[in-house]
Amino acid sequence: MDFPGADVDAAVSGAHRLEEALCLADVERLAAAVLPAGVRDFVAGGSGGETTLEANRAALERVFVVPRVLRDVARCTTDAALLGRPVRMPVAVAPVAYQRLLHPEGELAVARAAKRAGVPFTVSTLSSVPIERITAVGGTVWFQLYWLREPGRALDLVRRAEDAGAEAVMLTVDVPWMGRRLRDLRNRFALPDGVRAAHLAAAPSTAHRRPSGAGSAVAAHTGETFSSAVTWSSVAELREHTRLPLVLKGVLSPEDAVRAAECGVDAVVVSNHGGRQLDGAVPSIEALPEVVAAVAGRCDVLLDSGVRGGTDVLRALALGACGVLLGRPVLWGLAAGGEAGASRVLELLADELRDALGLAGCPGVGAAGGLRTVRRGA
């Protein structure tokens, strides 16, 4: 098939420059040079006026860590555990839809990069590659679930993920429907024929029909497919039907986090969907401390939205998170150089995290939870 996303020649040239990238922002610039504007906006954009999208970064940058000194950090390590399993750093690749928009190998390339980095890869319900091919890569795979209009189909997907070898189920709870993403509406964004939701349809769907006026074909498709009636009863039903660890992604309220723990959830992800759902929602890092305090160790807490470097991971750990999800930066790596690009992003993140831990006086990830933080303007 023709490659629907980045300019292939430019991508090959960009791959040669990956080794010169010194931070995740450098990789994003390489991706921007090869991606069509509509695809770039689909990944980068937020909802509404993108207030929350911008606030995620601003809030992270307001968190300052108080380092400790005179500690032995000669053997500083990023090793950690997520959902009870060892990982080489406290990071999982976030679930992101339709990754073949950015590179022909899509999710397969990122899954291989995640395996090499020793971190979990989360397969989206809207993955453009079926989960069976992704788990065959051999790394740790989690499966992200959107609750569908037909709950039986959702539970069938969970069983399919279990049979394929997934090691956790992550239910996204903040998308009763897709937020108003103005960039996609203005671009009349639709999927090319060669990219589809591999778990949902064998043929082109509404997501492929470009609107005649302003609109998003992808939003129309999710509106037809997702249930806006996902409730705590849905969580209880899912908990009863899977033996795998269960994660809820999209929790910002401490009250919701407590109820999740009471429902037997193994982890919650404090997330505003990267600023792509409710515009004006609290930045995830601002919500994190109250959620951590509320669950009081009854389940793990991860952070998502706005993470762009190792210092951000340190900030999240210092505020009580067990780890973070990384989304857009991995996609920029995929666009810039396929598997090599995604690997470069994860390598840079590991280097930055090790540097941040050592300079903060932490010989390992566990010590970061004892650091004090100061918020600028507080």
Side-chain angles (χ1 to χ4, degrees):
M1 57 162 275
D2 293 333
F3 181 27
D7 179 307
V8 176
D9 292 335
V12 170
S13 175
H16 293 312
R17 297 197 300 273
L18 281 169
E19 61 186 29
E20 300 175 8
L22 299 179
C23 63
L24 274 58
D26 288 346
V27 180
E28 182 176 352
R29 283 188 285 271
L30 291 176
V34 300
L35 282 176
V39 174
R40 187 170 65 246
D41 281 348
F42 177 70
V43 175
S47 63
E50 301 189 343
T51 304
T52 296
L53 176 69
E54 296 174 3
N56 279 329
R57 282 305 313 154
L60 276 159
E61 291 168 0
R62 282 197 299 269
V63 177
F64 290 84
V65 172
V66 181
R68 301 300 301 273
V69 296
L70 298 175
R71 293 178 167 184
D72 185 355
V73 293
R75 298 184 62 187
C76 185
T77 175
T78 63
D79 290 346
L82 293 177
L83 298 181
R85 294 290 302 271
V87 291
R88 292 218 295 270
M89 60 176 165
V91 174
V93 176
V96 183
Y98 304 121
Q99 293 180 25
R100 292 186 72 230
L101 279 168
L102 293 100
H103 188 274
E105 290 194 307
E107 288 84 354
L108 285 176
V110 180
R112 288 195 293 264
K115 177 186 176 183
R116 182 177 296 108
V119 301
F121 174 78
T122 312
V123 179
S124 171
T125 293
L126 299 176
S127 171
S128 53
V129 174
I131 189 168
E132 292 82 1
R133 293 185 63 196
I134 296 168
T135 54
V137 166
T140 299
V141 172
W142 299 348
F143 179 69
Q144 176 269 337
L145 178 70
Y146 285 115
W147 200 248
L148 304 180
R149 285 180 177 267
E150 300 174 36
R153 289 184 65 202
L155 296 176
D156 285 345
L157 284 178
V158 172
R159 283 188 286 272
R160 178 177 173 180
E162 289 177 342
D163 291 344
E167 298 183 22
V169 174
M170 180 182 293
L171 177 66
T172 296
V173 295
D174 60 352
V175 186
W177 53 77
M178 187 177 286
R180 284 178 53 79
R181 301 172 191 176
L182 300 184
R183 298 197 206 192
D184 293 347
L185 296 175
R186 290 173 179 136
N187 291 333
R188 298 164 55 212
F189 186 75
L191 296 180
D193 289 342
V195 178
R196 63 181 181 87
H199 300 130
L200 298 182
S205 65
T206 308
H208 298 83
R209 294 199 287 271
R210 187 176 175 87
S212 57
S216 164
V218 172
H221 178 243
T222 57
E224 294 173 354
T225 308
F226 296 176
S227 173
S228 57
V230 58
T231 66
W232 290 107
S233 295
S234 311
V235 175
E237 185 175 8
L238 180 56
R239 178 69 287 176
E240 290 177 1
H241 278 79
T242 183
R243 57 181 170 76
L244 297 177
L246 178 58
V247 182
L248 297 193
K249 178 177 179 285
V251 174
L252 293 169
S253 159
E255 293 83 2
D256 287 340
V258 168
R259 187 156 184 185
E262 293 171 346
C263 287
V265 164
D266 298 277
V268 295
V269 182
V270 179
S271 171
N272 55 42
H273 216 94
R276 292 163 75 80
Q277 283 302 105
L278 174 64
D279 192 35
V282 61
S284 296
I285 195 71
E286 296 279 359
L288 176 63
E290 288 189 357
V291 168
V292 170
V295 302
R298 287 175 288 179
C299 66
D300 288 349
V301 179
L302 293 89
L303 177 82
D304 170 74
S305 304
V307 174
R308 297 294 181 268
T311 300
D312 293 336
V313 182
L314 179 67
R315 288 162 166 149
L317 296 172
L319 290 171
C322 301
V324 306
L325 301 187
L326 187 72
R328 288 181 178 98
V330 180
L331 296 190
W332 301 139
L334 176 65
E339 180 183 342
S343 288
R344 182 59 176 158
V345 165
L346 293 171
E347 289 166 2
L348 286 169
L349 188 67
D351 289 345
E352 291 174 359
L353 177 57
R354 187 177 297 106
D355 184 66
L357 286 168
L359 295 178
C362 300
V365 167
L371 295 173
R372 286 201 308 119
T373 60
V374 175
R375 298 195 185 193
R376 185 176 63 210

